Amino acid sequence: MNKNEKKALYSFLFIYIGSTVLILSILLLSYYQKETDMVDRQCSIEMISAANKIKADILNAEMEHKTFIPKELKNENLKYGLFDKDGNTIYSKLENSNINLNDEASHNSTHSFHVSQLEKQHHEKIKIKYIVIETNQAISEIKKLKIYIILILLLSTIFIGFIGYLLAKLLLKPVREKVEHMDKFIKDSAHELNTPIAVLMTSTSTLKQGRNPQKMLKYIVSSAKQISQLYNDMHYSAFSKQDTFLDVNIDFNELINESVEFFQDIAITKGIKIYEELDECNIFMDKTKTQKIVNNLISNAIKYSNRDSKIIVRLKKGIFSVQDFGIGIEEKEKKEIFKRYKRGKNFEGGFGIGLDIVNEVCKEYNLKLTLESHVDKGSVFYIDFGSVLK
């Protein structure tokens, strides 16, 4: 990746991961608060229940005139202690001794506490005023919850980062391919325009010297037409969506004949002869788009034909075809050849937009486009204009 692509990738990842992790953090924080509140309530209920059970046992012992004997609670997570009105210890299994007996509920870094008091008439008789319940269950579960939340956030961040990276690569791939195609297009355009311009300049210089005027004029006309064809394809490819088109009745065989005459001057520079076999035919299409189909197929045939060969242009029963006897197209390239910027294997190349234009127009008018080709024998492009016949 180049510098700009890396910058775009990092910017996307920062925004995507940052925003997603922020939203996830807010959700996890909300979940954490709800869970801690639930744990606190549950522990509080357990401690209050345990305190009430101990208080009931103490009162029952008093009513039966028996001495209350402290017993361990069934819940091993709960410890308790008994204190008189002055805070002196009567019985204690507590792990913490520094407890504020005036706070009903409190906690420190390791334990939570609940303090329950007996009524005055009772604690004066049995000397027990405070029942303190202690547990480390809430703090322990909250610590586990914190670790769980942090682990989820960490793993989610890694997963989100990985998905973000894949998405960024996926999104940047077509952009990268487009840029590469455009770079290739610019290079090819420079090469493609250079040939007719160089021929044009050389022919003009030779013509000024008075040498081979007829031959030089043919080269000049051929070069000018090549430049015109290239410009028209580039303009159509770039601005076809903004231009306005209108379907009209077209004398198709006459239009083909005009195109053949236009390309005769280009074909003759390679010693190629273009033959016509045209039936009478009228169609209802936009004239510019129809011209694009015919011109690009003939231009393509000239580019990929061998020198001193021939091209046959036919129009039979509404089926238009252009046959060349050139290098042909390999089987694996037959589908790819209609993609934009895809070029055949030929020194004279082209931009790779001609057949793409043909394909797009055919799709627009529901024209059937087929190709027959054999390597080193040539190619035939067929287009069925049956859907637009008049």
Side-chain angles (χ1 to χ4, degrees):
M1 289 190 294
N2 59 38
K3 186 178 180 180
N4 290 331
E5 288 176 335
K6 287 182 179 179
K7 185 178 179 180
L9 175 63
Y10 295 149
S11 297
F12 172 81
L13 289 177
F14 176 77
I15 295 171
Y16 175 76
I17 297 173
S19 58
T20 308
V21 170
L22 178 62
I23 294 171
L24 182 62
S25 299
I26 293 171
L27 294 175
L28 288 175
L29 180 61
S30 176
Y31 171 78
Y32 173 77
Q33 290 175 339
K34 288 181 180 179
E35 287 295 310
T36 52
D37 289 344
M38 187 177 71
V39 170
D40 286 338
R41 284 197 300 271
Q42 184 177 351
C43 289
S44 178
I45 290 170
E46 289 178 356
M47 288 191 291
I48 291 171
S49 176
N52 289 336
K53 176 69 171 56
I54 295 169
K55 185 186 290 187
D57 290 343
I58 291 172
L59 295 178
N60 286 335
E62 179 190 358
M63 291 174 62
E64 294 175 3
H65 304 288
K66 295 180 180 179
T67 301
F68 173 72
I69 301 174
K71 299 178 181 178
E72 291 190 5
L73 298 172
K74 292 182 179 180
N75 189 339
E76 296 179 355
N77 293 315
L78 298 178
K79 309 293 181 181
Y80 73 96
L82 305 175
F83 301 86
D84 62 18
K85 63 180 181 177
D86 297 321
N88 297 317
T89 302
I90 298 173
Y91 169 85
S92 178
K93 288 288 185 176
L94 303 176
E95 296 179 4
N96 290 265
S97 57
N98 188 17
I99 302 168
N100 189 348
L101 298 175
N102 295 317
D103 288 340
E104 183 178 353
S106 61
H107 63 84
N108 58 25
S109 60
T110 57
H111 292 80
S112 299
F113 306 96
H114 172 74
V115 179
S116 181
Q117 299 184 30
L118 274 70
E119 291 76 8
K120 186 176 180 181
Q121 64 269 27
H122 296 302
H123 73 71
E124 286 182 349
K125 293 180 181 179
I126 58 178
K127 309 301 181 183
I128 299 174
K129 182 177 181 181
Y130 300 104
I131 303 172
V132 178
I133 308 296
E134 176 192 76
T135 181
N136 65 353
Q137 185 175 355
I139 304 298
S140 177
E141 289 187 8
I142 289 173
K143 284 182 178 179
K144 290 179 182 179
L145 183 62
K146 284 181 180 178
I147 295 172
Y148 176 70
I149 294 292
I150 292 171
L151 188 61
I152 287 178
L153 186 60
L154 180 62
L155 293 176
S156 299
T157 301
I158 295 172
F159 178 75
I160 291 167
F162 177 71
I163 295 298
Y165 180 77
L166 291 181
L167 283 174
K169 294 285 284 186
L170 191 64
L171 292 171
L172 286 173
K173 184 179 178 181
V175 177
R176 182 181 180 85
E177 289 177 351
K178 192 74 172 179
V179 171
E180 289 176 351
H181 284 319
M182 288 306 298
D183 287 343
K184 187 174 182 294
F185 174 76
I186 292 169
K187 292 175 182 178
D188 290 343
S189 64
H191 169 74
E192 187 71 9
L193 288 169
N194 179 66
T195 303
I197 290 172
V199 172
L200 190 62
M201 293 178 68
T202 303
S203 300
T204 305
S205 177
T206 305
L207 187 62
K208 284 181 179 180
Q209 296 172 14
R211 292 183 293 162
N212 300 323
Q214 290 299 117
K215 185 177 182 181
M216 292 305 106
L217 280 173
K218 287 181 180 179
Y219 282 138
I220 289 171
V221 171
S222 174
S223 299
K225 287 185 175 182
Q226 288 182 60
I227 293 171
S228 175
Q229 174 68 12
L230 293 170
Y231 169 77
N232 288 334
D233 280 349
M234 292 170 65
H235 183 276
Y236 181 87
S237 180
F239 300 106
S240 60
K241 292 183 179 180
Q242 287 84 8
D243 292 344
T244 302
F245 298 98
L246 179 66
D247 292 345
V248 294
N249 291 321
I250 300 172
D251 186 341
F252 194 23
N253 55 302
E254 182 181 342
L255 183 146
I256 296 171
N257 185 260
E258 290 174 359
S259 293
V260 170
E261 288 183 8
F262 177 87
F263 283 99
Q264 287 286 10
D265 291 320
I266 299 175
I268 200 170
T269 60
K270 290 181 66 175
I272 298 171
K273 293 182 179 180
I274 304 177
Y275 296 93
E276 299 174 80
E277 297 177 11
L278 307 178
D279 289 345
E280 294 289 330
C281 181
N282 291 292
I283 59 174
F284 187 72
M285 281 182 65
D286 178 80
K287 189 171 183 179
T288 300
K289 293 181 179 179
T290 308
Q291 198 87 59
K292 287 296 174 189
I293 290 178
V294 177
N295 286 0
N296 277 300
L297 288 184
I298 297 175
S299 174
N300 186 75
I302 294 171
K303 289 174 186 173
Y304 296 100
S305 287
N306 298 320
R307 286 188 171 275
D308 302 317
S309 61
K310 65 180 180 177
I311 294 171
I312 303 174
V313 178
R314 295 186 178 93
L315 179 59
K316 301 290 183 182
K317 297 181 180 180
I319 297 177
F320 172 67
S321 66
V322 178
Q323 181 179 9
D324 67 68
F325 299 86
I327 62 172
I329 302 169
E330 293 181 4
E331 190 66 31
K332 63 181 180 180
E333 290 186 346
K334 285 183 179 180
K335 292 183 180 179
E336 297 291 320
I337 203 72
F338 293 102
K339 293 183 179 180
R340 179 159 294 193
Y341 309 126
K342 180 67 178 180
R343 299 171 54 185
K345 297 176 181 178
N346 189 288
F347 293 113
E348 299 188 40
F351 295 138
I353 59 176
L355 291 180
D356 175 70
I357 292 173
V358 172
N359 191 38
E360 289 300 317
V361 176
C362 288
K363 287 181 180 178
E364 181 181 350
Y365 286 93
N366 196 28
L367 309 178
K368 185 179 179 182
L369 171 62
T370 54
L371 166 64
E372 291 181 4
S373 186
H374 301 280
V375 177
D376 297 327
K377 291 184 179 180
S379 305
V380 188
F381 288 86
Y382 297 93
I383 299 180
D384 188 348
F385 282 82
S387 61
V388 292
L389 288 176
K390 291 296 291 181

